[in-house]
Amino acid sequence: MAIVRVPVQDQKLEGRDAVVAFLAAQGIEHERWTLSRPLAQTASADEVLAAYDPEIARLKQRGGYVTADVIDVRPDTANLEAMLAKFRSEHWHDEDEVRFILEGRGIFFIHPPEGDVFAIEVGAGDLIRVPRGTWHWFDLCAERRIRAIRLFQDPAGWTPRYTGSGADAGFEPVCLGPAHVAAQR
Ligand SMILES: [Fe+2]
């Protein structure tokens, strides 16, 4: 289940009801899905999309999404740092950002027009929808692993519009979930 933090208030929210209510108040949808179809580490993007075709079709219908792809990142992914640099600079999109996390963990930082920046740590089974126009950035947790389905309303796919506000410089991608706990043992 996702974890929400408001770093400047030293506030942390856990548990489905608290997290969903907090995010809903910010216009962000969150759902938990059951990962009923295990996928091999070597599964191709097409195999991932085929396995979750019914869910993708339902989301497309609900949100007007026209395309879906798979982002599959590991510590040894080529040009990983260059890729992450694009994600971790504050930006917005002309369309919703929809991600269904299949494996690994990451953090969305959301910068609301009023109020403090908050972080949403997501992991396997989390579906999140960040509405179009929301200022945000994204980073991976220390294990540098994520596999997620992305849905787009624009057939051109992921198009960021960078804010250049500098807000992203003040926050560390500190993850608190199971992988982090395991690393501390
Ligand atoms: Fe984005």
Side-chain angles (χ1 to χ4, degrees):
M1 181 66 199
I3 300 168
V4 169
R5 283 186 301 120
V6 189
V8 301
Q9 296 180 23
D10 203 19
Q11 182 190 7
K12 184 173 86 164
L13 293 174
E14 285 182 279
R16 180 182 302 224
D17 292 350
V19 166
V20 169
F22 178 93
L23 295 179
Q26 300 283 347
I28 296 171
E29 286 177 25
H30 175 276
E31 291 177 10
R32 282 294 295 173
W33 284 14
T34 304
L35 297 172
S36 54
R37 276 142 286 173
L39 290 158
Q41 289 285 329
T42 52
S44 68
D46 283 346
E47 287 169 332
V48 173
L49 294 173
Y52 284 92
D53 187 58
E55 287 85 352
I56 292 168
R58 211 163 57 229
L59 283 172
K60 281 182 172 174
Q61 196 175 24
R62 196 168 95 188
Y65 309 109
V66 295
T67 62
D69 73 6
V70 177
I71 184 163
D72 197 338
V73 172
R74 299 161 195 282
D76 60 354
T77 293
N79 301 316
L80 177 58
E81 281 308 311
M83 179 193 292
L84 289 177
K86 288 192 239 171
F87 297 155
R88 65 164 73 107
S89 291
E90 186 179 69
H91 61 274
W92 82 94
H93 308 278
D94 292 328
E95 59 175 339
D96 300 342
E97 180 152 324
V98 183
R99 302 288 181 268
F100 175 45
I101 316 299
L102 298 167
E103 197 178 329
R105 299 193 73 82
I107 300 191
F108 287 92
F109 286 91
I110 307 291
H111 186 178
E114 293 172 21
D116 296 317
V117 168
F118 58 94
I120 313 164
E121 184 178 325
V122 292
D126 287 319
L127 171 78
I128 188 164
R129 185 183 72 85
V130 178
R132 66 184 68 189
T134 304
W135 289 19
H136 68 279
W137 65 96
F138 177 82
D139 211 338
L140 291 180
C141 299
E143 71 271 25
R144 292 281 193 267
R145 173 73 177 119
I146 201 154
R147 178 154 68 175
I149 295 171
R150 312 190 294 184
L151 288 121
F152 300 101
Q153 290 154 326
D154 179 346
W158 193 77
T159 308
R161 299 183 184 277
Y162 293 104
T163 69
S165 80
D168 45 21
F171 296 89
E172 290 292 323
V174 178
C175 296
L176 305 173
H180 170 80
V181 173
Q184 298 296 303
R185 283 183 184 141

